[in-house]
Amino acid sequence: MDGVPEPHTGWTFLTNHARVLAAIADNRSARIRDIAAHCRLTERAVQKIIADLEQDGYLSHTREGRSNTYRIDPGKVLRHPAEAGLTVASLMSLLVKDEADRATTFASRGRPHATA
C-alpha cells in the first residue's frame, strides 16, 4: 500500500508521542502527512497522537485557511513519575535539532553525533 510507512520492529528509546511532538517543534505548521512520513507512522496514528497531546494540554492548534499551526506548551510537566518536574521544553531541547545540523553531523562523521 503506497504512502504507508514500513513497520518498525524491536524497541526504541522514544515514544511515538515524543517523536510527533519533536516533529511539530521542528515545524509548527507541518502537515499531518509530513509528520507521519518523518516519524514513520500512519497519518491516522499521527491524528490520534495529536488528539492525545491536545486533550492533555501539551499542544494546541489554530486553523489558518486549510492548514493548522501548532503551539506547544513548553512549561507543561511530563507525565511519567520518573520525569517528575521535567518540562516539555527540557525534552524538546534534547530532541529538536536543526535539520541542517543533522545533515552536517551525519555527513562529517558518517554516523550520528552522541554526547553523553
Side-chain angles (χ1 to χ4, degrees), residues 31 79 86-87:
R31 299 178 307 169
R79 293 170 44 107
L86 292 176
T87 63

Side-chain angles (χ1 to χ4, degrees), residues 1 5 8 12 14-15 18 20 25 32 35 42 52 66-67 73 85 92 95 100 103-104 108-109 114:
M1 184 180 210
H8 176 272
T12 65
L14 302 175
T15 67
V20 168
I32 287 177
I35 296 168
T42 64
D52 289 346
R66 292 177 43 188
S67 61
D73 182 350
M92 291 301 101
L95 298 180
T104 303
S108 67
R109 294 199 169 97

Side-chain angles (χ1 to χ4, degrees), residues 9-39:
T9 57
W11 65 274
T12 65
F13 284 102
L14 302 175
T15 67
N16 290 337
H17 284 67
R19 283 189 192 92
V20 168
L21 200 59
I24 290 171
D26 274 339
N27 180 358
R28 294 177 355 133
S29 59
R31 299 178 307 169
I32 287 177
R33 175 181 310 207
D34 298 330
I35 296 168
H38 179 77
C39 296

Side-chain angles (χ1 to χ4, degrees), residues 16-17 20 41 44-54:
N16 290 337
H17 284 67
V20 168
L41 300 168
R44 182 67 190 123
V46 171
Q47 289 172 337
K48 170 77 170 92
I49 289 167
I50 287 173
D52 289 346
L53 293 169
E54 285 186 317

Side-chain angles (χ1 to χ4, degrees), residues 37-98:
H38 179 77
C39 296
R40 297 180 60 135
L41 300 168
T42 64
E43 289 179 35
R44 182 67 190 123
V46 171
Q47 289 172 337
K48 170 77 170 92
I49 289 167
I50 287 173
D52 289 346
L53 293 169
E54 285 186 317
Q55 180 178 357
D56 288 346
Y58 289 91
L59 185 67
S60 61
H61 76 277
T62 55
R63 191 85 172 146
E64 296 180 5
R66 292 177 43 188
S67 61
N68 290 320
T69 299
Y70 297 97
R71 184 191 161 301
I72 296 171
D73 182 350
K76 188 85 169 159
V77 177
L78 300 180
R79 293 170 44 107
H80 196 280
E83 289 97 32
L86 292 176
T87 63
V88 169
S90 62
L91 175 64
M92 291 301 101
S93 71
L94 295 172
L95 298 180
V96 177
K97 208 172 179 187
D98 182 47

